[in-house]
Amino acid sequence: MNNAAPQTIFLKDYKPFDYTIDSVELTFKLHPTATRVRSKIVFSPNPKAPESSPVTSPEASEGKRFFLHGEELRLISAAIDGASVTPREVAGGIEVDAPDAPFVWEAEVEISPETNTALEGLYMSNGMYCTQCEAEGFRKITYYPDRPDVMATFTVRVEGDLPVLLSNGNPVERGEGFAVWHDPWPKPSYLFALVAGDLVNHPGAFTTKSGKKVELNIWVRPGDEGKCAFGMQALKDSMKWDEDTYGREYDLDIFNIVAVDDFNMGAMENKGLNIFNSSCVLASKETSTDANFERIEGIIAHEYFHNWTGNRITCRDWFQLCLKEGLTVYRDQMFSGDMRSHAVKRIEEVLTLRARQFREDNGPLAHPVRPESFVEINNFYTATVYEKGAEIIGMLRRLIGDEAYRKGCDLYFERHDGEAVTIEDWLASFEEVAGRNLAQFKQWYSQAGTPRLKMSENWEDGTLTLTFTQTTPPTPGQSEKKPQVIPIATGLIGPNGDEVVPTTVLEMTEATQSFTFEGLGARPVASVLRDFSAPVILEREIDNDTRAFLLAHDTDPFQKWEMGRALAKDTLISMIVKDTKPSFAYLDAIKSVLADDTLDPAFRTLSLGLPSQDDLAQSLVDAGVVPDPQRIYDAREKLRHLLADHLHDVLPALYKENETGAFVPDAEGSGKRSLRLAVLGLLSLQDSGVTAKALYKRADNMTEQAGSLQALLAAGLGADELQAFEAQWKDDRLVMDKWFMMQVSFAAPDKAAELAEALSQHPAFTNRNPNRFRAVFGALTANHAGFHHASGAAYRLLADHLIALDALNPQTTARMSGAFETWTRYDADRQAMIRAELERILATPNLSRDTTEMVTRILSA
Ligand code: 0A1
Ligand code: ZN
């Protein structure tokens, strides 16, 4: 693994590379354990490199020390301008003396894709060759300046005895046992891709708005052809949307997507050759749920949108990762909102933001959206960089308005096409078009932690004054926080329920600031932080009646939902802390939302959902209470039963009314199914699972099959159905992931670890496949009361499996170790058990740099 002493890289140390690259030619002779990679690269001194002395005569200089990254490569030969050279091995690569003038580098290396279990660089998955180069995987393919600010055009020849040979760009030549590809667009090495295998394609075509015809393909393993149509449509919709919304057209003759079973992340935006985790592209009604369809649509869009935000314009260095990721997430969110429902999408976004990013921002792994240092960049593909990064774009747009936002984007694309740039470059375009200084706004990129926004109200003589105070708690390495620019979208609702002041964006820039609304007849109720206009925690004095009032009358769907959520949380917290009975304000309010058929069923489902156990644990900590996971679990279960009782007269009708006809994975169908299945969850607590069992038998789609099974499992039933499910789907990897995951997710707290352990012995379990590993252990860590069971069994089990996985796949191990990030929330016994496991992981010989960094940071809490 990574034996070199871990080195910290700092943003402030950025220096351009000494050379630029004119062109790259690569030849791959594929072999499972001995692939040969030949490279021919034309380098020229970089005029922008500070220390590069002006080129005088080549004789005058001794040459320059020329460094290339390389890891796990066997060097066969190297030459400069045709003369053989012997490079020195140095940490992370090789070094050689090179001319301070243009020269040609040629090298040949040997690599072993079959034994590459880290799934980084060139590796094999089910007999297929594929690559993953972001962030720093290209250095496992050949010696190269593997950094995003070195952009070059690539010509790639792939030789191998396989029917399909793909790389980036346009096809140039194809013959017996070889294919040549040329990518005319300069790109950094992290966007390189190669795929070779026995694959079949689902073809498509798209004509761009300027009339260029583009060939589209989704490449899959034989047998999966029937699961590509939805992804293909999502791709075409994305291409059209980017033209309509951002004026961005596709720029090659061909766009290929490949589905791979073994993949560390969701998907990768390699130029013209996107590689997808098969779970993020393959879809059929029999095997995929509505949630899968929605996610697939969003990820296809995300990767496609990277073509402009990431590929044509890329990041100068990895500290700028949010430049491409925050922006591209924002773009895919807007796309999904346009395709489905903005209101529902926004609530879902906030749910994940709070569950993942707020959690991260509140613990030992907190870091700025643009970090200032890292040990292993793969550890920074985080909720903060992605989701908070997207929130920043949304705030920027809110502050400058839609028109200036679009103009700023146009200017950015025009000015920086073909460049590797920074957040400063991005913001400069908006400063220019909007004529405003964004210096304070920029703090969103550098200041970690979630701002707390306290609000108080004053009513006097027809004037409502809202006073806000912002504070951000300290985060690792940042004790002092400055006030940020916070757009607070606010509206006012009159006592009769009518909106008296429509949404206005209050722009807060000070630590404490007041805003007044004058000339009001009667005291209105303020609806604050509409559409979740900033990633902050709003704290306001508000009673349950006012919440119920806003839940009934607010015109802003996010705030309407938020009020129901606040009622639910308040109810649960007092059940946990004071053992009180649930408030009727909450139960009645939910009942009227459910019965209101003018509301979108998807919205009603979201309103019926209870805060997660993890969310409740954090709320208890915020209230100064040490969370007891079992108590949280019990209270939530109790409330589910009470809800079922309170709603029992409306449940059967809701179940019936929301039946859908033929399965269509659109917003309307999925909304109805989600409501129907949420209702089924409650019904199953009352009818011994009769309705759910009947649906399970009848279901002709995975949404209802998995949904009815989950309703049963959540009611402590479903053993027969689980068995039947396995028998039916044992040959379908992706569906079997659901089978593994569901049981662990719904296991009782005292059974979860035992079950996960048993499943890890199942013949179909393997830690070579990240999806399968996550299905079992991701589900275990998401089962809050199970993971934190007082026995500590789950902590031990997870640590055992992380230690074993680290030797194979550091990236996934490091990611999964994040499950421990909240450890200091809990009581002393649990903390001691977790600390012991973290220390045991850290003491593992040859632990990867990835996991070492993560565990060290977590332990430093
Ligand atoms: N850029 C991809 C995500 C990605 C990042 C790293 C990977 O391997 C370490 C793989 C994919 C995206 O945003 O979709
Ligand atoms: Zn991305």
Side-chain angles (χ1 to χ4, degrees):
M1 291 289 94
N2 307 301
N3 290 326
Q7 216 194 326
T8 305
I9 322 275
F10 294 93
L11 166 60
K12 64 175 168 42
D13 292 343
Y14 172 80
K15 281 196 200 75
F17 187 56
D18 288 342
Y19 293 86
T20 58
I21 295 184
D22 302 336
S23 65
V24 177
E25 285 170 42
L26 300 173
T27 302
F28 288 80
K29 286 188 197 309
L30 297 174
H31 183 280
T33 53
T35 289
R36 287 287 175 104
V37 186
R38 280 208 317 264
S39 57
K40 182 175 177 188
I41 309 170
V42 182
F43 287 97
S44 297
N46 181 1
K48 294 203 184 115
E51 72 274 56
S52 83
S53 48
V55 181
T56 46
S57 76
E59 312 83 75
S61 118
E62 285 283 297
K64 289 163 69 91
R65 278 172 52 218
F66 172 61
F67 171 81
L68 295 176
H69 292 110
E71 275 175 28
E72 294 165 39
L73 305 173
R74 191 164 81 83
L75 181 62
I76 308 291
S77 66
I80 288 183
D81 287 335
S84 166
V85 293
T86 309
R88 297 176 288 278
E89 287 211 19
V90 294
I94 52 169
E95 218 172 64
V96 65
D97 295 331
D100 198 356
F103 67 89
V104 180
W105 163 264
E106 282 165 290
E108 181 164 4
V109 300
E110 191 176 283
I111 54 180
S112 172
E114 196 178 76
T115 52
N116 178 355
T117 57
L119 315 183
E120 201 187 31
L122 179 67
Y123 65 95
M124 298 195 78
S125 169
N126 300 316
M128 155 185 173
Y129 292 86
C130 64
T131 53
Q132 173 51 43
C133 292
E134 187 175 8
E136 299 180 333
F138 192 72
R139 61 191 64 184
K140 292 182 165 184
I141 292 177
T142 191
Y143 290 105
Y144 197 81
D146 189 13
R147 39 186 290 166
D149 58 345
V150 176
M151 298 174 83
T153 55
F154 281 63
T155 305
V156 178
R157 182 182 166 93
V158 189
E159 297 178 12
D161 186 20
L162 287 160
V164 177
L165 305 170
L166 306 173
S167 190
N168 313 90
N170 295 320
V172 176
E173 206 187 332
R174 174 79 234 228
E176 190 57 33
F178 80 95
V180 180
W181 293 80
H182 175 70
D183 183 358
W185 300 104
K187 67 166 175 292
S189 50
Y190 82 86
L191 291 173
F192 169 82
L194 178 154
V195 168
D198 182 8
L199 300 171
V200 289
N201 69 321
H202 177 107
F206 182 82
T207 305
T208 68
K209 70 170 184 210
S210 63
K212 192 173 132 97
K213 196 156 180 219
V214 182
E215 175 187 334
L216 311 176
N217 290 299
I218 299 183
W219 296 93
V220 296
R221 290 206 283 156
D224 284 336
E225 310 82 303
K227 299 180 181 171
C228 301
F230 180 81
M232 181 56 79
Q233 189 56 48
L235 175 60
K236 292 180 195 168
D237 291 340
S238 307
M239 295 176 88
K240 176 83 169 60
W241 188 89
D242 215 14
E243 292 184 346
D244 294 347
T245 318
Y246 281 83
R248 300 290 112 201
E249 257 183 74
Y250 187 61
D251 53 5
L252 290 168
D253 305 338
I254 185 165
F255 188 84
N256 286 311
I257 286 179
V258 182
V260 181
D261 286 338
D262 305 290
F263 201 75
N264 280 331
M265 309 277 273
M268 180 62 210
E269 70 263 23
N270 316 299
K271 184 76 186 191
L273 178 52
N274 285 190
I275 298 183
F276 274 63
N277 186 321
S278 50
S279 72
C280 297
V281 55
L282 300 181
S284 75
K285 74 163 190 172
E286 291 78 16
T287 57
S288 314
T289 62
D290 283 313
N292 295 146
F293 279 100
E294 186 178 329
R295 183 168 144 82
I296 287 167
E297 184 175 73
I299 297 188
I300 291 204
H302 180 96
E303 306 311 329
Y304 175 74
F305 296 157
H306 267 313
N307 190 54
W308 275 95
T309 50
N311 299 5
R312 285 287 284 261
I313 305 180
T314 195
C315 304
R316 186 193 73 173
D317 53 70
W318 289 120
F319 297 102
Q320 321 292 331
L321 183 58
C322 63
L323 175 83
K324 73 177 179 83
E325 295 305 347
L327 176 55
T328 307
V329 169
Y330 178 72
R331 277 153 50 72
D332 84 54
Q333 290 175 343
M334 291 303 115
F335 166 80
S336 297
D338 283 351
M339 297 297 290
R340 291 164 182 265
S341 144
H342 280 283
V344 168
K345 267 307 285 179
R346 188 62 186 144
I347 297 166
E348 289 171 355
E349 283 157 22
V350 175
L351 277 167
T352 21
L353 185 78
R354 286 177 173 158
R356 300 179 52 221
Q357 201 279 323
F358 281 21
R359 171 178 149 125
E360 183 167 76
D361 233 357
N362 204 30
L365 298 177
H367 57 275
V369 171
R370 179 168 69 177
E372 263 134 44
S373 70
F374 62 74
V375 172
E376 171 52 64
I377 184 57
N378 285 333
N379 289 335
F380 285 84
Y381 286 78
T382 59
T384 297
V385 170
Y386 275 65
E387 268 87 41
K388 189 173 177 181
E391 291 300 315
I392 298 179
I393 311 291
M395 286 191 287
L396 173 67
R397 181 173 180 170
R398 240 177 250 283
L399 290 168
I400 65 175
D402 291 352
E403 208 181 313
Y405 173 73
R406 173 62 203 270
K407 277 202 184 123
C409 288
D410 288 349
L411 179 60
Y412 171 75
F413 290 126
E414 185 190 310
R415 190 179 271 174
H416 296 296
D417 189 10
E419 293 180 0
V421 305
T422 61
I423 291 302
E424 283 73 15
D425 296 320
W426 161 256
L427 289 178
S429 297
F430 295 92
E431 291 195 313
E432 202 164 308
V433 297
R436 62 184 275 172
N437 181 323
L438 294 172
Q440 189 188 5
F441 182 77
K442 204 174 114 184
Q443 272 169 215
W444 279 105
Y445 289 98
S446 56
Q447 190 158 286
T450 308
R452 271 51 169 180
L453 194 59
K454 259 205 167 62
M455 182 184 101
S456 60
E457 297 178 49
N458 185 49
W459 169 251
E460 222 176 300
D461 300 335
T463 297
L464 180 72
T465 305
L466 302 181
T467 301
F468 296 92
T469 301
Q470 55 165 310
T471 49
T472 302
T475 51
Q478 284 186 347
S479 41
E480 298 297 317
K481 305 285 181 178
K482 298 193 201 103
Q484 318 230 87
V485 185
I486 304 181
I488 311 170
T490 303
L492 301 181
I493 309 286
N496 65 353
D498 290 345
E499 184 167 81
V500 290
V501 174
T503 305
T504 318
V505 178
L506 312 176
E507 196 175 321
M508 181 176 192
T509 55
E510 312 284 328
T512 297
Q513 206 167 337
S514 297
F515 300 88
T516 56
F517 296 87
E518 287 162 11
L520 300 164
R523 180 170 186 162
V525 177
S527 160
V528 186
L529 210 64
R530 285 185 156 184
D531 201 35
F532 203 63
S533 58
V536 301
I537 295 171
L538 177 68
E539 294 167 2
R540 67 187 285 195
E541 290 284 326
I542 180 168
D543 57 33
N544 280 347
D545 290 343
T546 312
R547 284 177 176 141
F549 173 83
L550 282 176
L551 171 58
H553 300 292
D554 206 324
T555 56
D556 180 68
F558 171 75
Q559 273 306 320
K560 198 176 170 70
W561 169 82
E562 177 82 327
M563 291 300 118
R565 165 82 17 163
L567 280 172
K569 207 180 219 183
D570 201 67
T571 298
L572 278 163
I573 296 288
S574 47
M575 286 171 74
I576 296 163
V577 179
K578 299 183 230 147
D579 235 343
T580 53
K581 290 216 162 62
S583 88
F584 278 96
Y586 166 66
L587 294 172
D588 289 341
I590 289 304
K591 194 164 187 171
S592 44
V593 168
L594 270 188
D596 184 351
D597 55 19
T598 66
L599 294 171
D600 180 351
F603 177 87
R604 287 186 271 163
T605 312
L606 288 165
S607 301
L608 189 55
L610 295 177
S612 72
Q613 296 169 59
D614 188 72
D615 185 1
L616 292 165
Q618 186 56 46
S619 301
L620 288 167
V621 174
D622 294 342
V625 179
V626 176
D628 175 347
Q630 185 67 44
R631 254 183 107 79
I632 296 174
Y633 175 87
D634 291 340
R636 210 169 164 279
E637 279 307 290
K638 190 166 166 188
L639 185 56
R640 277 199 333 119
H641 279 91
L642 289 167
L643 260 177
D645 290 346
H646 196 77
L647 301 173
H648 87 274
D649 53 329
V650 297
L651 295 178
L654 279 168
Y655 184 72
K656 220 166 145 59
E657 284 158 18
N658 287 286
E659 184 156 5
T660 56
F663 182 92
V664 183
D666 57 5
E668 195 192 336
S670 72
K672 284 183 139 191
R673 280 184 292 275
S674 73
L675 181 54
R676 188 159 188 258
L677 290 169
V679 164
L680 184 63
L682 295 178
L683 271 178
S684 303
L685 298 174
Q686 302 195 314
D687 73 351
S688 318
V690 172
T691 314
K693 280 171 189 277
L695 180 63
Y696 184 85
K697 282 219 175 66
R698 243 193 4 254
D700 67 350
N701 60 79
M702 183 50 67
T703 306
E704 289 178 336
Q705 193 179 12
S708 54
L709 177 50
Q710 284 175 18
L712 290 169
L713 294 173
L717 306 161
D720 295 345
E721 286 75 11
L722 257 184
Q723 241 180 32
F725 192 98
E726 183 188 15
Q728 184 183 352
W729 295 112
K730 60 183 184 314
D731 297 324
D732 188 308
R733 276 207 195 199
L734 295 176
V735 180
M736 280 304 282
D737 287 335
K738 297 185 199 306
W739 181 81
F740 278 97
M741 181 178 293
M742 277 189 280
Q743 332 177 31
V744 183
S745 307
F746 291 97
D750 59 338
K751 296 283 184 319
E754 200 181 306
L755 178 63
E757 183 158 24
L759 288 174
S760 72
Q761 308 296 321
H762 189 283
F765 179 84
T766 167
N767 62 4
R768 302 273 167 140
N769 177 258
N771 290 359
R772 188 55 50 86
F773 189 88
R774 282 188 286 258
V776 174
F777 292 101
L780 178 63
T781 62
N783 180 333
H784 185 264
F787 184 52
H788 293 288
H789 188 261
S791 66
Y795 302 150
R796 263 191 316 276
L797 182 71
L798 180 67
D800 288 344
H801 282 270
L802 290 179
I803 289 169
L805 184 65
D806 190 67
L808 300 169
N809 184 336
Q811 233 183 77
T812 294
T813 311
R815 238 166 207 278
M816 299 269 314
S817 69
F820 289 118
E821 75 182 321
T822 54
W823 68 290
T824 54
R825 273 181 192 165
Y826 302 95
D827 55 83
D829 286 350
R830 285 184 172 84
Q831 286 196 25
M833 289 190 287
I834 298 178
R835 174 185 285 280
E837 296 308 332
L838 288 169
E839 285 170 350
R840 182 161 70 93
I841 296 173
L842 209 50
T844 306
N846 298 320
L847 193 72
S848 68
R849 180 172 60 214
D850 310 54
T851 307
T852 305
E853 182 188 26
M854 288 293 279
V855 174
T856 309
R857 284 165 65 204
I858 294 171
L859 268 171
S860 73

